Amino acid sequence: MKAITRIASDTGNPNLSAELQDAIRNRVAFLFVRGGDGFVLRPVSEHGTTGVLVWVGWGDGGAPERHLPEVKRLVRMIGARWLRFHSARKGWLRVAPQLGWVRQPDDADGLYVFQINL
């Protein structure tokens, strides 16, 4: 998939596609697809609190905004308290806050981190 290849390049992880497939197959992560848009969601636990990491996402312009309400609903259904994503794309610095995401400190790889508390 072209989007996964681009994301793998952005993150410097050439094994990303195989990691995603293994995680979905082993039910460690979940695939959310609507039309040409999609997300891979991975539940995680930090300090005893459950959250969900948007591991990858792709789609036409506006995909995050279109699907955020449904993704938040799914995240709440598993008792998660937050939703988070990491990105190398500078455009998220402007767009993410407009969608309710709050910037967190950059991660150890220098990626931008955004989170919504639920």
Side-chain angles (χ1 to χ4, degrees):
M1 173 178 278
K2 190 176 178 181
I4 301 299
T5 302
R6 180 186 52 79
I7 295 166
S9 175
D10 286 352
T11 61
N13 182 355
N15 299 318
L16 182 63
S17 181
E19 290 174 15
L20 293 169
Q21 289 174 29
D22 287 345
I24 293 165
R25 186 176 315 113
N26 294 320
R27 298 178 188 224
V28 175
F30 303 92
L31 181 61
F32 172 91
V33 177
R34 293 290 185 271
D37 303 335
F39 304 91
V40 177
L41 307 172
R42 183 174 60 178
V44 295
S45 180
E46 292 180 357
H47 313 291
T49 303
T50 301
V52 172
L53 180 66
V54 179
W55 196 352
V56 297
W58 64 91
D60 296 329
E65 185 175 11
R66 269 194 307 277
H67 303 295
L68 186 58
E70 178 69 5
V71 170
K72 286 166 74 173
R73 187 184 72 75
L74 294 169
V75 168
R76 285 186 185 106
M77 284 176 61
I78 67 162
R81 307 292 297 180
W82 51 264
L83 181 62
R84 180 183 304 148
F85 75 93
H86 300 227
S87 180
R89 300 276 174 174
K90 287 187 178 191
W92 283 112
L93 293 170
R94 180 182 50 80
V95 175
Q98 296 171 358
L99 300 175
W101 297 90
V102 176
R103 185 164 180 203
Q104 307 295 303
D106 294 352
D107 69 13
D109 296 322
L111 298 175
Y112 304 115
V113 179
F114 298 92
Q115 180 170 309
I116 291 177
N117 292 322
L118 303 171

